[in-house]
Each structure stands twice: as C-alpha cells, then as structure tokens.
Amino acid sequence: MAGMLYLCATPIGNLGDITFRVLDTLRSVDLIAAEDTRNSIKLLNHFEIKTPMTSYHEYNRVEKAHYLIGLMREGKDVALVTDAGTPAVSDPGETLVALCLEAGIRVTSLPGAAACITALTLSGLSTRRFCFEGFLPADKKERKAVLEELGQESRTIILYEAPHHLVGTLQELSGALGNRRLTLCRELTKKFETVMPMTMEEALAYYGETEPRGEYVLVVEGKSMAAKQEEQRQDWLELSIEEHMEYYEGQGMERKEAMKRVAKDRGIGKREVYQMILVHNNGQKGD
C-alpha cells in the first residue's frame, strides 16, 4: 500500500502555535522533507523529534519530488514542512502536491499557522473578499502586468515582501494603486509583533526615515466599487451618444434596451438619452 504526503503547518514565530496533530505526525512519518533542514532541525530538537530529514526547496523541487514520490509508492509516509507557516502557500511545496496527485499519491493537509491569514485578520480591512499575491514577480514585464491588474482589484490584497525591497515595492504599489489604505505586519506571533495601519503615502514617509526590518506582510485595501464605476463612466463619456448606442446595438441589442444601458453607463435618465439622440438626428437632417 502506498504511503501519504502530509502537509504540516509549522509556527511562523511562536512555537506554541504548533498543533498536537502536527507533532504526532512528524514523529510517526518515515521522512520529513524540509525547505531548510538547518532551520527545521531547531523545531525538531525543541520538541525532541528524531525523524530523519531531507531537503526539499525551490532548486530541487522537481527532481526531489520524483524521489519522494518513489518512496511513497514503496509505502513510506512523508511530511512536508516549510521554513514557517503552511507548505505549498507561496512555496515550492505546490509542485510536490501537484505531482503527488498526478501520481495517485494521497495528500492531506494539517492546518496551522499562515502569515497571510494572520495578517489579514489583524489588518482591520475587509476580510469578506481577498486575494493573495505572495511576492511580486521579479521579471519586470510580468511585474508591471501584475501591478496593473492589482490596480483594478476590488478585493483586499495580501502581499509578502523582504525588508530590503519594501520601499521600492511601496513606491510601485503607490504608483499603480494610488494612496490606498494598507496595514503592514511584521514579526507576527512574536514578542515584538507590529501591526501598522496607514496609507501608502504615510508608509513611504515612515520608511523614508526608518529602516525596514524583518519579513513583511502587506494587506492593501481593494479598489472601491464606486471608484471603478466612476472610471468606467468616464470611459463611456469619451464616446458620443450615438457611438455608445452603436456599441450595444452592434451586439444585437434592441434600441430601447440599448438606451437603458447607455443611460445607466452615463449616470443620466433614459429620457435624456432619447432627447440627445433626437437633437443629434435633427442636426443631421438639417445638414
């Protein structure tokens, strides 16, 4: 019988956040695959866990995944841990999970700490709808495209950033998103946990004088629906009434229904649209 892959969430700072289930699993599996064995050994030593470890990281994620799958096919159980938090979230573990599922290997996840969710719940921003972006891509073209997309995002946005890139990222976010509200979180669950609600401009001013330290989670306010609607309305207003009507009628819409849609798009009454069309048509006849 084939073994299983266990995704084991580990603390993001406070060792007391590990679950009994994760501890039992780490003790009972045949092998622990760790993003950085030097980091994970501290956790294992603290809880007196003697299970063998092997490395599994960004640079061996495909080759090592096939090796681990081979062990699981032989009946071995493997636990996957990341440096901190939940494996496979902005983490090479996603590759191992995908390949296990393709190979018919059972995968289960043992819930626990996740920096993105911890920061979201502390942010004071909307938690009903959110998107997780992780680290912005390093490639300039891809990064620009992502930032443009985030500029129109109405959901709360969660990002990760390293201290030495924080100011540059804040500048890019400010340019793409405007002066949105955001909450910067660092040292989550630790003694010096810091949660800083502010605006983009305030964050840039603060870190213009203060050196960023520690890994950051940025929780950014989504674009308001009112702002999105106003931008769209301005786009419609660049068209003439007739061009606007032609847009909908060209999609096969009846003229009466097209007038309703035009009125809604432009924030005016249907009667006003009708009058403007009459004026336009009479003007053409006069010509």
Side-chain angles (χ1 to χ4, degrees), residues 30-50:
D30 299 289
L31 183 67
I32 297 171
E35 184 178 10
D36 188 336
T37 55
R38 296 166 301 179
N39 185 61
S40 295
I41 193 65
K42 299 172 187 175
L43 177 75
L44 299 191
N45 287 342
H46 180 83
F47 290 105
E48 299 181 346
I49 296 171
K50 307 298 183 184

Side-chain angles (χ1 to χ4, degrees), residues 4 7 92 129 135 137 192 255 264 269:
M4 282 184 65
L7 306 178
R129 298 173 65 246
F135 289 94
F192 298 106
R255 193 161 181 81
K264 183 179 179 182

Side-chain angles (χ1 to χ4, degrees), residues 85-227:
T86 301
V89 178
S90 195
D91 174 79
E94 65 177 332
T95 300
L96 178 57
V97 172
L99 292 174
C100 279
L101 294 177
E102 284 181 17
I105 300 294
R106 289 176 61 204
V107 181
T108 190
S109 182
L110 283 61
C116 53
I117 298 300
T118 303
L120 175 65
T121 58
L122 289 171
S123 70
L125 298 173
S126 174
T127 61
R128 189 179 74 84
R129 298 173 65 246
F130 60 90
C131 65
F132 175 65
E133 188 62 39
F135 289 94
L136 290 172
D139 179 80
K140 289 184 179 179
K141 188 175 180 181
E142 186 182 357
R143 190 180 183 94
K144 182 181 177 183
V146 169
L147 285 166
E148 287 176 358
E149 186 178 342
L150 292 179
Q152 299 304 314
E153 180 59 69
S154 60
R155 295 170 295 179
T156 300
I157 303 161
I158 307 171
L159 299 153
Y160 289 161
E161 192 50 276
H164 53 288
H165 291 311
L166 180 66
V167 173
T169 296
L170 286 172
Q171 290 170 339
E172 289 179 293
L173 288 171
S174 180
L177 280 64
N179 191 30
R180 301 259 188 100
R181 290 189 300 155
L182 81 159
T183 300
L184 292 103
C185 302
R186 57 181 291 276
E187 298 292 297
L188 288 170
T189 76
K190 299 177 184 177
K191 181 178 180 180
F192 298 106
E193 177 177 275
T194 306
V195 178
M196 301 170 61
M198 52 180 63
T199 65
M200 288 284 183
E201 289 179 0
E202 290 169 342
L204 283 168
Y206 179 81
Y207 284 107
E209 300 177 354
T210 307
E211 182 184 357
R213 292 184 178 179
E215 300 296 318
Y216 285 81
V217 184
L218 285 65
V219 186
V220 186
E221 177 182 41
K223 188 172 190 175
S224 72
M225 293 306 295

